[in-house]
Amino acid sequence: MALDERIALTLYDSIYQVISGSDPAAGLPSAFDSATTAFVMAQRGMVLKGADYRNPWSPGNTEGSMSAAANIASLVDEIPGPGPVYAPIGGTVSDVYRKIIKGVQNHEPPPSPVLEAKRAELNKVLVEEGKDEEGRPTLKPTALADAEQKAFNNYQDTYTAYVGAWAAAQKDPTLKPMWPIVGAQALQKPKRAFADWGAAGRDQIESTKAQLATLNEGQVARAFADAQFRLNAFEIVNDLTETFLRTNIAPSDWASADASTWPGYHFNESTFASEFTTEANVWGGGANVQAGLWSFGGGVDHSDSRQAMSQDTTNIGVSFKWRVCPIYRKWMDASLFRLPNWSLGSLGGPGVISGGLMPLIPIALVIVRDVEVIADWSHQDSEKLTEATSGSASVGWGPFAVSGHYSHSSTSDKFSAKASDKGFDVPDIQVLGFVCLRVPPCPPM
């Protein structure tokens, strides 16, 4: 296998390892359930202009930026295709979900009063009626459900950071021998977060959701009615009279210029793997990385051309800082997809959502920044490096964008890597891919 391909697949598997929760003997549950989630990575990262996403408006931050709130909603709204290569299929999560909620057809008799009362009692644990910032009736999480969600968010963040540090240490011959000591200390943070999650009501919330899931008879109409109520409460009209659904990305400072607490990855030629997961090999085939790491033209889901590095380029090193940032759509109830006895009429028959309209839903961003690539470059690759750092073309190196236009930006601003003594640096935030929920087969009828 050529070095170009080994580098690209090593990067994919390093991230996949964190997301899939490969067990570093932590004895803790994964932050993401590999049975229901997938990792899709772009052929070339989406570079973001951080200022476009900072300080978003929210009911608790009414002085915040409405455009930042709209930008965040748009960033995570595209629906990826079902494969491991990030390739948007043209629809948006918010649009398809709206169509589901508004077009649903119920095929079961009304529930019994006893069942309806039991369901209402269980729901009191999760949601309560309230008012939004404009005084409109809305459903909001109870204090218990809100505290449990925040505690889970913290556990998710600390656990993925821990697994990332463990995975990086296994690839570093200087850090690996120290991991039994360093790792034992690092493990305390996710252990505390897991205990805090339990104290915040983890078991009670899980039990309540499980009981609600068993009430299949007669719950479809009520569940979709509640979903419509919630959907209406989170619709926002921005300054351009465009409607969007307010969405959050955690942690709240993910787009900040300060990355001092982000975990780091460091690779060199001795740590690039030679064996890879099935997912990495499928991604590599779809991304065409066997043709080479350099890519020119195109964008996140394709390139106009790829070229291999010269065999005379040696001593390659790659480093970056990274975060896995969960996406929260309080307007969405994904449990609806598993309900029985409903259809979508003219929108399509059984399985049309999972089979085509919305096979995956992004539930976390995988972002990197401060990407640095160094090497003893051949004359041939030095010319490509000059082109990449001049900002005159759209260039990528492996899954990293090196120069081009900012993604998801209302401006036409360009970015380009900064030339260094040994290679190049890209300080901007890049979205390398998404953790996605696999939508179960639906609708059922």
Side-chain angles (χ1 to χ4, degrees):
M1 180 182 288
L3 181 60
D4 292 56
E5 191 171 3
R6 284 179 55 212
I7 292 172
L9 298 191
T10 297
L11 294 172
Y12 180 96
D13 261 350
S14 298
I15 298 172
Y16 178 75
Q17 189 174 38
V18 173
I19 292 166
S20 61
S22 298
D23 184 16
L28 295 171
S30 173
F32 299 98
D33 183 356
S34 59
T36 58
T37 58
F39 172 50
V40 297
M41 190 160 86
Q43 287 199 37
R44 189 190 304 169
M46 294 177 277
V47 178
L48 307 181
K49 193 174 182 180
D52 289 343
Y53 304 91
R54 294 176 193 145
N55 191 34
W57 179 96
S58 72
N61 181 30
T62 55
E63 298 299 316
S65 167
M66 186 65 74
S67 63
N71 290 339
I72 288 172
S74 175
L75 174 64
V76 300
D77 208 21
E78 292 179 323
I79 300 172
V85 179
Y86 177 69
I89 61 176
T92 63
V93 174
S94 57
D95 183 54
V96 171
Y97 187 73
R98 279 192 186 98
K99 289 177 178 177
I100 294 170
I101 299 304
K102 295 178 180 179
V104 66
Q105 295 182 8
N106 179 21
H107 297 278
E108 65 184 12
S112 68
V114 173
L115 186 66
E116 189 69 24
K118 185 175 181 180
R119 186 176 186 279
E121 193 64 28
L122 287 169
N123 261 324
K124 288 180 181 178
V125 177
L126 304 178
V127 294
E128 61 187 9
E129 293 186 1
K131 301 284 187 180
D132 65 14
E133 65 282 355
E134 296 179 359
R136 300 175 301 179
T138 187
L139 287 177
K140 63 178 184 179
T142 61
L144 174 67
D146 188 56
E148 188 271 342
Q149 180 67 67
K150 290 177 179 176
F152 171 69
N153 296 355
N154 184 53
Y155 172 69
Q156 201 172 44
D157 190 41
T158 56
Y159 184 77
T160 52
Y162 170 76
V163 177
W166 167 78
Q170 306 315 298
K171 295 178 174 64
D172 189 324
T174 62
L175 294 178
K176 188 174 181 179
M178 298 296 296
W179 183 254
I181 299 172
V182 175
Q185 183 176 2
L187 182 58
Q188 297 311 305
K189 190 170 184 179
K191 278 189 170 180
R192 285 194 299 271
F194 185 73
D196 291 344
W197 180 23
R202 178 187 65 237
D203 294 342
Q204 184 180 356
I205 295 295
E206 183 179 354
S207 174
T208 300
K209 289 180 177 178
Q211 291 179 70
L212 280 169
T214 64
L215 300 179
N216 287 336
E217 179 197 349
Q219 74 165 326
V220 172
R222 182 70 260 170
F224 275 94
D226 289 348
Q228 177 71 72
F229 190 74
R230 184 183 303 182
L231 187 67
N232 293 340
F234 279 86
E235 282 192 335
I236 293 177
V237 179
N238 66 13
D239 298 338
L240 300 176
T241 68
E242 298 168 330
T243 300
F244 66 95
L245 291 164
R246 184 164 57 85
T247 302
N248 299 324
I249 297 175
S252 59
D253 63 349
W254 69 273
S256 169
D258 180 16
S260 58
T261 62
W262 293 30
Y265 263 123
H266 305 275
F267 301 91
N268 55 48
E269 286 194 42
S270 67
T271 57
F272 294 131
S274 55
E275 295 183 359
F276 306 97
T277 63
T278 299
E279 290 79 6
N281 283 308
V282 173
W283 173 81
N288 197 30
V289 295
Q290 65 273 15
L293 281 182
W294 290 108
S295 60
F296 300 88
V300 299
D301 58 350
H302 77 282
S303 59
D304 295 341
S305 66
R306 278 192 173 274
Q307 297 177 27
M309 287 190 302
S310 165
Q311 293 183 357
D312 295 329
T313 293
T314 58
N315 296 322
I316 300 167
V318 181
S319 64
F320 55 85
K321 292 186 174 182
W322 67 278
R323 290 296 298 259
V324 179
C325 300
I327 300 163
Y328 300 106
R329 301 177 180 88
K330 293 184 179 180
W331 45 269
M332 173 179 280
D333 182 359
S335 69
L336 300 177
F337 303 136
R338 298 187 179 276
L339 293 180
N341 304 320
W342 60 279
S343 69
L344 289 175
S346 62
L347 289 177
V352 70
I353 298 170
S354 53
L357 289 179
M358 192 166 62
L360 298 175
I361 299 174
I363 58 172
L365 291 172
V366 178
I367 59 178
V368 300
R369 60 172 301 163
D370 298 331
V371 175
E372 181 181 20
V373 178
I374 60 173
D376 293 328
W377 302 92
S378 68
H379 175 72
Q380 180 183 354
D381 282 329
S382 292
E383 291 181 344
K384 296 185 179 72
L385 190 60
T386 299
E387 182 177 358
T389 55
S390 69
S392 60
S394 177
V395 181
W397 190 86
F400 305 117
V402 182
S403 63
H405 288 280
Y406 286 107
S407 295
H408 294 275
S409 179
S410 58
T411 71
S412 58
D413 293 349
K414 288 184 175 183
F415 71 92
S416 64
K418 298 177 180 178
S420 65
D421 292 341
K422 297 283 287 181
F424 63 84
D425 304 316
V426 187
D428 297 277
I429 293 172
Q430 299 192 37
V431 180
L432 284 199
F434 296 89
V435 185
C436 294
L437 173 70
R438 292 190 181 99
V439 177
C442 65
M445 302 177 69

